[in-house]
Amino acid sequence: MQVSNTTDSDFISQVTAIVEQNISDEQFGVTELAAEVNMSRSNLLRKVKKLTNLSVSQLIRQVRLSRAMNLLRTSSLNVSEVSDKVGFGSTSYFIKCFREHYGYPPGEAGKKALAEAPAMPGPSTPERRTHSNVKVVTIAALFIVALAAGRFAYRHFEAPTSELKKEKSVAVLPFINDSNDSTNVYFINGLMESTLNNLQKIEDLKVISRTSTEKYRKTTKSIPEMARELNVNYFVEGSGQKVGDQILLNIQLIDASTARHLWSRQYKREVKDIFALQQEIAKNIAAEIEAIITPEEKRQIEKNPTDDLVAYDYYLQGRHLYAIGGQSNLEASIVYFKQAISQDKDFALAYADAAIVFYYLDIFHIKKKYEAELNSYADKALLLDSKSANSLVAKAVYYMHRKEYLLAVPFLEKALEYNPNSALVINFLSEVYNNYLPNTEKYLEYALLGARLDVSAYDSATTSYNYLHLANALMQTGFVDDAILNIDKSLAYNPKNPYSSWVKILFLYGRKREYESTMKQLIAALKKDSTNLHIVEEIGKLLYMKRDYVRAYPYYRRFLELRDLYQLDVFKHENLKIAFVLSKMGYKEEAKVFAKSFKEFADNEKSIYKNLNLAGYYSYRGDIEKAVAHMKLFAREDNFQYWILLIEEDPLVEPLKEHPEFQNIIKSIKFKFWNNHERLKLSLKEKELL
């Protein structure tokens, strides 16, 4: 089916028809629908969201519920039979979805139909039945048209009061150890983390990350104060203790704005029932918030990680150290994960988390020590549980460890399906689309999603870096004022952030193009930190852009010294500018070495900037036709950075300006950037991310 050749209305009609054809199949979901329309999951998700403002799973659910309404009003089937007919494996889940969707339970559908219909005396006739069928078909047709028009928001189906409902956003505060035995802390923390993890699997909830709530472990702040900082409507508090083989746990659900207790329960269980306890807590909390749990989410929540309680105890001790972080704690966590695995050879979660720790142990080292173990543990985790977000992340970080980022992305995206509130997965995707597979749109979207879930880190320094990260994503996509606003937040949290101060200088240059003041500020920043490689490189580049090669030369020399000193394999894209300056200063042979190095880098470049780099190289060599040809190829790319708009200032581009096609290429690049910027702005506002 060639979806791209149909209109938007036809596309939604086709999707709806396919769901209708498979409506009794409970297992027919997003993956199956994507296969039917010959699209990737991500493309299907984006297209349906754009056209309907619904997720694909919501669209499928609405088609099922629309058919259910039809059956309830026109057939003699009872609620349980209708539930089965439209692909709901659980009648209680069907009733919950129906009520959420229409505002009343399915048992009242027939009464509502009678109340809404005009009085028509006399016995039923074939003609009247035909009229009824036509009406159903007409309603279905209007449903499809409304979806295709992109105006059929999910809340349109809900009860009138649903507009007043609070966002289903929740933060799980650190649980308190009520026992005098401090060795129980890891166990109580494990109960807290399992509650958090189970809630994170529910797409209908927004669940704040553990790093955002950990800072409140010993806080004196009130619930409303924390609510304002985290932007949530509900808090979960817990306290408990483990005595022998008994667990006593107290859980409260609190209204964030008023600090009023909405629900509380005391759980007294034996340790052997720990998994049932964890599942029960998550389901009870979700029920109180009125969050919908899909059958797949229910299966994920009800999955026991192991049958061996000794293995699980080792695992919890490993997780406790992993959460604290730091080299020594990470190394110690591996010992516990290995003990857990020796106790239970099929413990997928222990394999997965050990693999992730191996990744972190290697991440800052040039020489990697743990690649073999990382690969082995990740493969074992995936073999044992291919539907675990942790297993998928473990395999993804193995590919990231090997710098095979294209292979990592599908595993991360799949992990996000199983855990839609995972700040870890979202931050990995954000990192990939910023540094390794540059895509400004995806980078910004994941950065904004991460900011919603990872609201406020454990300390102000980390929070400062989080705002720096978001500011960079905003700048790359042309949201200059928003970028500067967030870089100011970064500096407010940590005025000594070694990056934010000089990054702000560059952002201001990007907005105002004030060369002299920018140069003065960068030089002043360098005096405070004379070995800052980034600032040295930025000063050299700015002088190069202004054709001041004499002043650029010593800065580039200093940059090369620092790069060699730190043994950093970075900024290879700068080698052509360095070659250009060296050549201008008379160092022809040395310039050839850097130009050759740049050509090797450009030839092996896998990002969207490959042709732009090659255009620069051929312009440097004086091959104008080849350079323009590569510029034209680059102009076909999408989602490039804001800084590309300054390309005309680059001395390497100067020889191309006389070419008859050059100005059209530049206009095309600028038009595409700002067109994408406006489209992205609209999309992010619709998703309430901007």
Side-chain angles (χ1 to χ4, degrees):
M1 166 186 314
Q2 295 298 318
V3 174
S4 60
N5 294 330
T6 66
T7 65
D8 292 344
S9 179
D10 288 342
F11 175 72
I12 295 298
S13 298
Q14 290 171 338
V15 167
T16 304
I18 291 168
V19 177
E20 288 276 358
Q21 290 166 10
N22 296 275
I23 204 158
S24 63
D25 182 0
E26 180 191 355
Q27 301 302 318
F28 188 84
V30 181
T31 301
E32 291 73 22
L33 181 56
E36 287 288 334
V37 295
N38 293 324
M39 296 177 74
S40 67
R41 286 182 59 97
S42 57
N43 284 341
L44 178 63
L45 291 167
R46 279 194 292 271
K47 185 157 187 174
V48 169
K49 186 69 175 179
K50 177 183 177 182
L51 296 178
T52 68
N53 200 32
L54 300 170
S55 69
V56 177
S57 58
Q58 286 174 333
L59 173 60
I60 293 172
R61 190 184 307 146
Q62 286 194 4
V63 174
R64 293 186 190 278
L65 292 172
S66 180
R67 170 70 73 86
M69 177 63 86
N70 181 14
L71 290 173
L72 288 166
R73 289 184 167 183
T74 62
S75 74
S76 59
L77 298 174
N78 62 33
V79 171
S80 177
E81 291 169 332
V82 168
S83 170
D84 185 61
K85 286 280 186 184
V86 298
F88 283 86
S90 164
T91 303
S92 60
Y93 175 62
F94 166 68
I95 294 170
K96 189 170 187 177
C97 289
F98 193 97
R99 183 191 292 274
E100 178 84 12
H101 196 53
Y102 289 109
Y104 52 84
E108 295 181 15
K111 298 175 186 176
K112 293 282 184 180
L114 289 172
E116 293 165 4
M120 295 184 70
S124 176
T125 65
E127 288 78 15
R128 285 179 60 199
R129 285 196 297 272
T130 301
H131 174 77
S132 175
N133 289 339
V134 170
K135 184 176 180 180
V136 170
V137 172
T138 303
I139 290 170
L142 289 173
F143 170 75
I144 292 168
V145 171
L147 282 171
R151 299 290 184 268
F152 207 75
Y154 180 61
R155 61 179 178 272
H156 180 78
F157 272 118
E158 299 174 351
T161 57
S162 66
E163 293 291 344
L164 303 176
K165 288 182 180 179
K166 292 183 178 181
E167 179 188 47
K168 300 168 188 176
S169 52
V170 59
V172 180
L173 294 173
F175 285 9
I176 297 170
N177 176 30
D178 288 333
S179 169
N180 292 326
D181 186 356
S182 61
T183 60
N184 274 342
V185 170
Y186 79 87
F187 189 85
I188 299 303
N189 283 344
L191 288 173
M192 179 271 291
E193 191 164 1
S194 68
T195 299
L196 175 70
N197 289 342
N198 282 331
L199 291 173
Q200 284 181 331
K201 294 170 185 175
I202 303 171
E203 188 177 14
D204 199 33
L205 288 176
K206 168 190 163 186
V207 186
I208 301 301
S209 70
R210 176 176 178 172
T211 55
S212 296
T213 58
E214 184 63 31
K215 64 183 289 186
Y216 299 113
R217 183 174 288 277
K218 296 180 180 180
T219 190
T220 57
K221 291 183 177 180
S222 68
I223 289 290
E225 285 177 310
M226 290 188 287
R228 284 191 292 273
E229 291 180 4
L230 297 177
N231 191 27
V232 294
N233 288 317
Y234 301 96
F235 279 99
V236 174
E237 283 187 336
S239 64
Q241 58 182 306
K242 173 177 171 282
V243 181
D245 63 351
Q246 296 291 315
I247 302 170
L248 183 64
L249 194 63
N250 299 292
I251 303 291
Q252 298 89 34
L253 180 68
I254 303 169
D255 182 284
S257 60
T258 64
R260 182 170 60 90
H261 282 62
L262 302 174
W263 165 86
S264 64
R265 182 166 297 181
Q266 184 177 84
Y267 299 88
K268 188 174 182 180
R269 300 285 191 277
E270 294 184 17
V271 171
K272 66 182 179 66
D273 298 320
I274 186 171
F275 302 127
L277 170 62
Q278 293 168 352
Q279 294 157 17
E280 185 181 349
I281 292 170
K283 289 177 186 176
N284 287 343
I285 293 169
E288 289 300 317
I289 300 176
E290 297 184 3
I292 295 174
I293 303 176
T294 69
E296 177 56 40
E297 291 164 356
K298 185 170 180 284
R299 282 191 288 271
Q300 287 289 324
I301 291 170
E302 292 178 347
K303 188 189 300 180
N304 289 351
T306 178
D307 294 325
D308 191 311
L309 293 178
V310 175
Y312 189 63
D313 193 75
Y314 283 134
Y315 171 78
L316 289 181
Q317 293 182 68
R319 278 295 307 185
H320 178 65
L321 293 167
Y322 170 23
I324 296 172
Q327 183 81 10
S328 60
N329 285 321
L330 290 177
E331 289 173 350
S333 75
I334 289 290
V335 175
Y336 283 109
F337 289 140
K338 286 184 174 180
Q339 287 178 306
I341 290 165
S342 67
Q343 190 73 27
D344 177 4
K345 302 294 185 185
D346 296 329
F347 198 166
L349 198 56
Y351 281 108
D353 284 5
I356 295 169
V357 171
F358 284 133
Y359 171 77
Y360 282 122
L361 285 171
D362 259 357
I363 194 170
F364 296 119
H365 297 281
I366 296 174
K367 292 183 179 179
K368 308 299 185 184
K369 293 172 55 179
Y370 297 105
E371 183 173 308
E373 286 178 287
L374 168 52
N375 185 32
S376 173
Y377 279 63
D379 280 347
K380 189 69 174 177
L382 206 57
L383 179 67
L384 291 168
D385 189 355
S386 63
K387 291 187 175 182
S388 160
N390 294 60
S391 297
L392 291 158
V393 170
K395 193 61 181 177
V397 297
Y398 164 70
Y399 285 122
M400 291 174 69
H401 189 278
R402 290 177 55 84
K403 300 183 178 181
E404 295 175 336
Y405 302 104
L406 275 173
L407 296 176
V409 166
F411 288 95
L412 291 172
E413 289 181 340
K414 193 69 177 176
L416 201 57
E417 290 180 28
Y418 292 125
N419 194 337
N421 286 284
S422 173
L424 174 68
V425 177
I426 290 168
N427 288 335
F428 272 137
L429 284 165
S430 179
E431 179 186 350
V432 166
Y433 286 122
N434 176 35
N435 296 318
Y436 310 113
L437 302 173
N439 183 309
T440 54
E441 180 174 344
K442 290 184 177 180
Y443 174 34
L444 178 56
E445 182 163 351
Y446 284 121
L448 288 167
L449 282 170
R452 289 181 76 230
L453 301 179
D454 209 357
V455 180
S456 180
Y458 184 72
D459 54 61
S460 59
T462 306
T463 304
S464 177
Y465 277 104
N466 288 347
Y467 277 115
L468 168 64
H469 179 58
L470 179 56
N472 186 44
L474 288 161
M475 190 70 190
Q476 286 190 17
T477 43
F479 296 95
V480 180
D481 291 339
D482 291 301
I484 293 171
L485 179 66
N486 279 276
I487 207 71
D488 283 340
K489 289 181 180 179
S490 174
L491 288 166
Y493 274 98
N494 181 16
K496 295 182 179 180
N497 186 311
Y499 296 98
S500 295
S501 56
W502 62 264
V503 167
K504 180 180 178 179
I505 297 168
L506 297 179
F507 285 3
L508 291 171
Y509 176 76
R511 180 168 69 179
K512 297 181 179 180
R513 305 287 205 279
E514 294 179 352
Y515 168 74
E516 292 297 339
S517 64
T518 301
M519 183 58 66
K520 287 178 183 177
Q521 291 177 71
L522 284 174
I523 291 173
L526 185 60
K527 286 180 180 178
K528 295 178 183 177
D529 186 2
S530 61
T531 60
N532 190 311
L533 181 74
H534 297 83
I535 301 177
V536 174
E537 183 261 343
E538 290 295 344
I539 294 175
K541 181 164 59 180
L542 192 58
L543 289 164
Y544 154 84
M545 296 288 275
K546 290 300 177 181
R547 279 72 172 166
D548 193 346
Y549 308 121
V550 174
R551 290 176 65 199
Y553 172 72
Y555 284 103
Y556 272 137
R557 277 292 181 203
R558 180 61 174 155
F559 167 75
L560 293 173
E561 289 171 6
L562 291 170
R563 191 165 68 173
D564 290 341
L565 176 66
Y566 297 138
Q567 297 182 353
L568 295 173
D569 187 24
V570 294
F571 295 116
K572 289 184 177 180
H573 59 280
E574 288 298 297
N575 284 354
L576 190 62
K577 296 182 183 71
I578 294 170
F580 191 94
V581 171
L582 288 172
S583 179
K584 289 290 184 181
M585 297 301 295
Y587 300 96
K588 302 292 184 182
E589 292 305 312
E590 193 176 3
K592 288 180 182 178
V593 173
F594 280 96
K596 182 182 178 182
S597 171
F598 179 84
K599 178 62 163 55
E600 291 173 356
F601 159 74
D603 284 339
N604 293 300
E605 177 69 83
K606 294 179 181 178
S607 80
I608 61 173
Y609 301 107
K610 179 185 181 79
N611 281 297
L612 183 64
N613 288 327
L614 288 171
Y617 174 78
Y618 285 113
S619 177
Y620 174 79
R621 294 294 303 271
D623 193 338
I624 305 304
E625 291 301 326
K626 264 193 175 182
V628 170
H630 282 289
M631 283 286 290
K632 288 166 70 175
L633 290 173
F634 172 70
R636 297 177 186 174
E637 298 289 357
D638 217 337
N639 294 312
F640 37 76
Q641 293 186 13
Y642 173 81
W643 301 107
I644 297 301
L645 301 181
L646 309 186
I647 191 171
E648 290 174 282
E649 298 178 18
D650 194 324
L652 283 163
V653 173
E654 198 69 38
L656 310 183
K657 291 182 178 179
E658 298 302 318
H659 194 282
E661 296 185 69
F662 179 77
Q663 286 304 324
N664 285 335
I665 295 171
I666 295 299
K667 286 179 183 177
S668 171
I669 289 171
K670 290 182 177 180
F671 175 81
K672 181 176 285 188
F673 178 87
W674 289 116
N675 188 53
N676 283 345
H677 170 83
E678 291 301 321
R679 178 183 54 78
L680 181 57
K681 182 194 293 185
L682 181 62
S683 171
L684 293 173
K685 283 183 177 178
E686 287 175 350
K687 296 173 184 175
E688 298 181 352
L689 289 174
L690 195 64

